[in-house]
């Protein structure tokens, strides 16, 4: 079983939901988009172009290349252990840590981040959509699929970034029975190249 898991490409419902939303947002330009497993990417692939990474550094190792540029650092205490975002620079009213669900399918709050930053490996940009559990990742898809939620995100980012196109936003979702039922933008930061 361990061999199977370590060599298989596993995709969650949340990943599929997010990709489906992104395909709809791209619309008529879908021929400009290709879907690739993180295992099939090569470092040289990242030198040109724009990329969207779905998942955290735990599930997508390419995200770790950008972790030092993000304020909200995902921490997992051992395999299957406590997971939280460490707020490297808390602003007034923010917490030092934002802890997610104990496990997928349990009720409560889960957290995720959406980050847009320049690629440090070449030309282009990188959009990172990462949640602790499926509920957090699925919440990002729900946020992006809803025009009023996208407008709220854009307004929060515009307020935090002072015109910079690069940002990071921490999202809280309330989950019931494995599905996000509400979404809140908790904090936003600008990312300076």
């Amino acid at each position: 079983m361990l061999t199977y898991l370590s060599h298989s490409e596993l995709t969650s419902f949340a990943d599929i939901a997010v990709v489906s939303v992104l395909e709809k947002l791209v619309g008529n330009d879908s021929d400009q988009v290709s879907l690739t497993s993180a295992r099939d990417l090569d470092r040289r692939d990242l030198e040109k172009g724009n990329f969207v990474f779905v998942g955290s550094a735990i599930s997508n190792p390419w995200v770790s290349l950008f972790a030092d540029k993000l304020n909200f650092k995902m921490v997992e205490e051992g395999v299957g252990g406590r997971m939280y975002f460490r707020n490297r620079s808390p602003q007034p009213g923010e917490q030092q840590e934002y802890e997610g669900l104990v496990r997928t399918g349990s009720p409560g709050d889960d957290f995720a981040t959406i980050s847009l930053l320049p690629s440090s490996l070449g030309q282009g940009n990188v959009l990172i959509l990462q949640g602790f559990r499926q509920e957090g990742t699925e919440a990002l898809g729900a946020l992006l699929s809803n025009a009023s939620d996208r407008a709220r995100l854009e307004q929060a980012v515009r307020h935090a970034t002072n015109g910079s196109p690069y940002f990071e936003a921490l999202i809280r979702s309330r989950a019931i029975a494995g599905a996000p039922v509400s979404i809140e933008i908790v904090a936003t930061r600008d990312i300076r190249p």
Side-chain angles (χ1 to χ4, degrees), residues 26-192:
V26 171
N28 293 335
D29 293 327
S30 62
D31 60 334
Q32 301 293 316
V33 177
S34 65
L35 183 62
T36 306
S37 168
R39 288 182 186 219
D40 294 334
L41 274 179
D42 182 274
R43 192 238 177 264
R44 286 179 228 39
D45 294 332
L46 301 176
E47 291 176 357
K48 281 192 175 179
N50 298 309
F51 294 86
V52 177
F53 294 130
V54 179
S56 67
I58 295 164
S59 62
N60 184 339
W62 298 108
V63 172
S64 64
L65 293 174
F66 304 95
D68 64 331
K69 294 182 175 33
L70 302 175
N71 178 67
F72 297 101
K73 178 181 174 18
M74 184 179 278
V75 177
E76 181 180 28
E77 294 179 346
V79 177
R82 178 175 171 249
M83 295 177 78
Y84 60 95
F85 279 107
R86 178 180 297 130
N87 187 348
R88 293 181 184 191
S89 179
Q91 302 297 311
E94 294 178 357
Q95 299 172 204
Q96 182 105 27
E97 295 178 354
Y98 291 91
E99 188 170 350
L101 296 173
V102 175
R103 67 183 176 286
T104 295
S106 59
D109 290 341
D110 204 23
F111 292 90
T113 60
I114 178 170
S115 310
L116 177 66
L117 56 161
S119 174
S120 59
L121 302 175
Q123 302 169 358
N125 299 302
V126 175
L127 179 67
I128 300 172
L129 305 167
Q130 63 175 333
F132 291 134
R133 308 280 183 218
Q134 290 185 45
E135 291 86 347
T137 303
E138 188 178 344
L140 292 173
L143 180 139
L144 293 174
S145 70
N146 183 294
S148 62
D149 285 343
R150 284 194 314 271
R152 277 189 313 128
L153 176 63
E154 184 179 345
Q155 181 179 11
V157 166
R158 192 177 308 124
H159 177 72
T161 62
N162 200 20
S164 169
Y166 303 112
F167 69 91
E168 176 182 19
L170 178 70
I171 309 299
R172 175 190 347 240
S173 63
R174 168 69 57 182
I176 297 175
V181 293
S182 66
I183 301 167
E184 173 189 2
I185 300 165
V186 176
T188 52
R189 296 286 192 284
D190 68 334
I191 296 175
R192 296 291 169 179

